[in-house]
Every structure is written in structure tokens, then in C-alpha cells.
Amino acid sequence: WLGGVDAVEGVVVAEDEAFWSVVESGEGGALAEVLGLDAGVVEGVLPALVDWRRSRVERSRAEGMRYRVSWSVVDGGAGVLSGRWLVVASEGVAGERVEACVGALVRGGAEPVVVVLDDGELDRWELAGRLTEEDGFGGGFAGVLSLVGLDGRTGVVGVPVGVAGSLALVQALGDAEIGVPLWCVTSGAVSTGRADGVVVPEQAMVWGLGRVAALEFPQRWGGLVDLPAVWDERVGGRLAGVLGGVEDQVAVRASGTFARRLARVAAGAGRPGEFASGGAVLVTGGTGALGAAVARRLAVRGVPELVLTSRRGLGAPGAAELVAELAGLGARATVVACDVADREALAGLLGEHPVTGVVHAAGVVDTVPLVGVGLEEFAEVLRAKTLGARYLDELVPDAEMFVLFSSIAGVWGSGGQAAYAAANAYLDGLAEARRARGLVATSVAWGPWADAGMLV
Ligand SMILES: NC(=O)c1ccc[n+]([C@@H]2O[C@H](COP(=O)([O-])OP(=O)(O)OC[C@H]3O[C@@H](n4cnc5c(N)ncnc54)[C@H](OP(=O)(O)O)[C@@H]3O)[C@@H](O)[C@H]2O)c1
């Protein structure tokens, strides 16, 4: 009988579809016939029906494309390890952390070989030499556990030491031909839910970088493990379990081991509210493709004043035309040339143009295989996104709308885009951190847009 029920429902759905396709055709006569009404009666409501249908179809299509990160409790694994494990840390990593991880490896059955790098050794080529030496003392590591990502200091060219060091390590392991799985440890890179700790965006960057390393070097990739701030023996046992297990993006907490998943967002859930303040909105990258699209949408939604920034400002192609178009839609737009990674310039801009909403769409992308990317070009891709977002967070903390344009590259990685992935993971992490502070923030990790933008 289940089949019978399905069949009846199928007929209803098919009839509904037939009705709505008549509406979509916009032919009043045909609709009047279906409804058994006078054509004159139908003509009056038809445009409203067509609009209603179009907006519902668009919304449900858009909603069908939405995913979110979720966390599943998983079996922590037996935690049985063997062989020599290379444990790499840097000067900025707390000694207790190193000891705790070494203890966990020993209890798991592994034989750790610890290397604590001084700042000079965090250079790729220095590091490759050091690793070759270590490997020479018997060689044959079973795995590499990197604690370098935990180093929270700011390093050269503004890249956090933990991120720059992790990049150097991934490259140096390749140079030293150490082809065993690399596991990268962080703390606070992710949050498994409301009861979990606050996300540290710089730690999230290590995950963005790691996801790209996983795609580019699957044969020598282990995974990403996020550890809690407070350590106990159970955590150590779970860490060993993860290193010997099958999950590759894991948060170890006092309450259990959590594996990262991507889940569809249920229709209607998390639907954004309207921005109703009536204040001005800053769109960074506002003369770019997506920034301009957002500006148009905001104008249509009644935002009276828009401040659009990019480094070229009015010199960007189409900027003047965009201002005129936005005026036609009812919004007064001002285009200001400003590098959002320059805090002073951004503060000056916001002093002159106070805003109540922010859409941070400024960004650049570059595609360079991990094996060849240099730290300066890495930093160059980070700047607009990470520094821009950080300064906006600091300068407009109480924004009523705070939207960050992120990318799927940060969510599941993208070959050749390590810096871009790290930058976008930072944005996602910053949105989580702001929310934990009780502030508004939404990070939208877009897939590739059609027709226009940096990927066309
Ligand atoms: N297009 C896509 O398919 C896609 C997919 C996922 C995510 N996204 C994200 O969406 C955002 C917009 O992308 P898009 O496709 O519109 O790219 P786009 O057309 O290249 O626009 C990027 C804008 O950012 C500006 N910009 C770059 N660095 C800046 C800086 N330091 N200070 C101020 N402005 C700066 C650029 O202008 P100037 O060069 O004049 O500064 C440009 O206006 C980016 O963050 C991107 O990562 C896009």
C-alpha cells in the first residue's frame, strides 16, 4: 500500500506542477481555463502570482545549495601506534603541549623523536636540511606530528608563525623525501558547537592550508587534529586514537572525539533576516563583480547609502557607471579608493563615512602549487581578506550586519590555492569568533559564481 500512497501523492505533485507551469507561462487565458474563471478576473492577479512563484522557486533553488559544517561524535579508535614518530614543534609552542603530545604517543606505543625548531630553522630550506639529518638517524619514521601550527606569534610579512611554519614544514618534508603521513595539531581552529571554546581565526588558517595539502599530497597526508585548551590523559588517549584512525579532520575534546562533516542546511533553516537599520553599508571590493552585485541588491532592498571601496576606487572599470546605476535604484553610492589591509586608511575612511553594515568582499586569488609557493606571495593573497576582516572587526565591532565573502576553497580545499584557502578559513573562523562574542557575523563560503567574478 505504500506504493499506492506514493502514487496518489505523485498525482497531486504533478497536478500542482502543471498548475504552476501555466502560471509561469504568464498566459491569463490558459490560467482562467484551469481555474474555471473569467479571464478578466485572472488578469488582475496573474502578475503577482508569477512574481510569487518566481521568488519561491529562486529561494528554494538557493536554499538547496546551502551546506554547513557539522560535527559527529566518532569512535576514538584503539590508539595503537608503532614505530618512530617525528614530533616537530617551534619555539613559540608551549613546552607542556609538546610533553603532553609526546606522552600520548608513548602511551599509544610509538617512539617519538622530538625536534623543536628555532626561528631560523622555520625557513623551508633550513628545515629540509634539519629533517634530512633527523631522518638519517635511523630513518623510517612511521608518521610526523606537527605542533608548529600552535605557534601563535606573528611572523615575517605578517603571516602567523604557526601558518608560515606549517607551510615550510609541508614543503620541507617533500624536499627531504619524508613521505609518511603528516598530522597537524591546532587548538581553537574549530568549534564543535555552542558549548565548545572560541575559535581563533589564525588557528583556522592552518586548517585551510592543511585541506589543500591533503589534496595536493594525499600520499603523505595524515590529517588535522584540534586539541582542547585543557589537557588530560583521556585527551592524550584520544589523540593517539585519531593518529591511528581513519578520520582526517578531527576535534578532540574532553567529551569525546568529533569528526568534521558537511551537511545540507534544511530548507528554511538559518534564513537570513532583512537588514533594516536604514544606515550606510560599506562594501569592500565594491567595484568588483560580486561586490557590485551585492551593492545592487542592497540598493533594491532599500539601503539608502553605500560606500564602495577597492584599491583602484573610481579608476576600476565600470565604477562610475555602477554609481549611476545605484542612484537609479535609489541608493547614494560613494566610491573610495582604499586598501583594506591598511588599518590607518580604513579607519580614516570609516571616520569620514560611518556605516552600520559591512560586506567584506575584497580579495585576490592566486593559483600556485604548494610545492612552489613562496611566503611573500602567500602573504600577498592573505592580506586583503584576513587583515581587512580583522580591521573591520576591530573598527566596526557593533555593525548590525557583518558579512564576509569566503570560499569553498577554505571549507574543503582547492588544489593550488593554499593561501586563498587559509585566508577564507580565517574569515569563517572570524565569523564564529564574533558570534561567540555576541556580535553579528555571517561568513558565506561561495562556490564559483557563473558569468562574472575572479573565477570567470
Ligand atoms: N567569483 C567567485 O566565483 C567567488 C567564489 C568564492 C568566493 N569569492 C569571493 O568573493 C569576493 C569577491 O570576488 P569577485 O569574484 O567579485 O572578485 P573581483 O571581481 O576580482 O573583485 C575583488 C575586489 O576586491 C578588490 N580588492 C582586492 N584587494 C583589495 C584590497 N587590498 N583593498 C581593497 N580592495 C581590494 C578588487 O579591487 P582592486 O584590485 O581595485 O583593489 C576588486 O574590486 C572575494 O573575496 C572572493 O574570494 C568569489
Side-chain angles (χ1 to χ4, degrees):
W1 57 271
L2 282 173
V5 172
D6 282 351
V8 172
E9 279 177 359
V11 170
V12 174
V13 170
E15 282 183 355
D16 279 357
E17 283 306 312
F19 171 77
W20 286 112
S21 67
V22 173
V23 170
E24 282 164 358
S25 75
E27 285 175 23
L31 184 61
E33 205 173 298
V34 171
L35 295 174
L37 292 172
D38 253 16
V41 177
V42 167
E43 292 290 326
V45 293
L46 185 57
L49 269 179
V50 170
D51 279 355
W52 186 90
R53 172 69 173 169
R54 190 171 298 141
S55 74
R56 287 305 181 283
V57 168
E58 260 177 29
R59 192 165 77 184
S60 85
R61 267 197 204 129
E63 288 193 346
M65 295 178 196
R66 297 182 313 157
Y67 296 81
R68 65 183 171 79
V69 169
S70 70
W71 294 89
S72 297
V73 178
V74 290
D75 176 5
V80 181
L81 302 171
S82 61
R84 283 156 46 90
W85 275 70
L86 179 64
V87 180
V88 190
S90 54
E91 277 180 56
V93 178
E96 311 89 76
R97 276 278 190 196
V98 182
E99 278 167 33
C101 289
V102 166
L105 285 176
V106 171
R107 276 188 295 279
E111 190 192 322
V113 176
V114 183
V115 171
V116 179
L117 304 164
D118 62 38
D119 287 348
E121 287 174 314
L122 281 174
D123 164 81
R124 168 184 185 171
W125 306 111
E126 288 283 334
L127 186 48
R130 175 82 194 267
L131 295 174
T132 307
E133 245 175 59
E134 294 294 340
D135 197 34
F137 301 144
F141 291 120
V144 180
L145 185 65
S146 166
L147 310 186
V148 173
L150 291 167
D151 198 323
R153 295 172 298 161
T154 303
V156 282
V157 290
V159 182
V161 172
V163 178
S166 301
L167 170 67
L169 180 62
V170 170
Q171 294 175 327
L173 284 166
D175 299 336
E177 296 180 8
I178 299 176
V180 296
L182 166 66
W183 288 87
C184 290
V185 170
T186 56
S187 186
V190 295
S191 170
T192 58
R194 281 195 192 161
D196 199 9
V198 176
V199 169
V200 181
E202 288 78 5
Q203 288 288 286
M205 289 169 84
V206 177
W207 278 53
L209 165 64
R211 291 182 191 118
V212 176
L215 293 177
E216 294 196 35
F217 307 116
Q219 70 285 3
R220 60 179 178 89
W221 183 250
L224 296 156
V225 197
D226 196 71
L227 299 180
V230 180
W231 182 278
D232 62 24
E233 282 215 2
R234 275 177 314 169
V235 169
R238 289 187 182 125
L239 170 62
V242 168
L243 301 180
V246 292
E247 296 289 347
D248 70 347
Q249 293 186 45
V250 186
V252 170
R253 299 291 183 258
S255 54
T257 301
F258 297 81
R260 189 169 177 269
R261 301 281 183 260
L262 209 57
R264 270 187 186 277
V265 175
R271 196 174 279 163
E274 293 291 316
F275 172 64
S277 90
V281 175
L282 169 70
V283 183
T284 73
T287 59
L290 274 50
V294 168
R296 286 186 195 102
R297 178 55 67 103
L298 291 171
V300 169
R301 292 283 173 92
V303 171
E305 202 169 332
L306 294 161
V307 184
L308 313 178
T309 65
S310 64
R311 288 164 302 179
R312 283 168 293 176
L314 272 172
E321 292 83 346
L322 177 62
V323 172
E325 190 189 340
L326 293 170
L329 295 171
R332 195 156 64 87
T334 312
V335 177
V336 187
C338 173
D339 181 347
V340 289
D342 177 340
R343 195 181 195 283
E344 218 174 295
L346 187 59
L349 166 86
L350 289 165
E352 259 179 59
H353 303 276
V355 296
T356 51
V358 171
V359 178
H360 180 40
V364 294
V365 67
D366 198 8
T367 304
V368 187
L370 242 175
V371 70
V373 71
L375 189 55
E376 289 197 0
E377 50 184 332
F378 194 91
E380 200 46 45
V381 174
L382 297 182
R383 290 183 78 243
K385 285 204 171 239
T386 60
L387 292 181
R390 181 171 131 200
Y391 299 152
L392 288 167
D393 174 40
E394 291 168 5
L395 295 167
V396 205
D398 50 0
E400 292 165 30
M401 174 176 74
F402 194 92
V403 179
L404 302 164
F405 270 31
S406 169
S407 160
I408 52 163
V411 176
W412 59 64
S414 176
Q417 295 186 338
Y420 186 66
N424 286 298
Y426 178 97
L427 298 186
D428 299 347
L430 181 69
E432 290 198 69
R434 273 182 64 94
R435 282 188 176 229
R437 299 197 321 255
L439 303 173
V440 299
T442 302
S443 188
V444 186
W446 297 104
W449 277 47
D451 303 331
M454 57 170 55
L455 301 178
V456 173

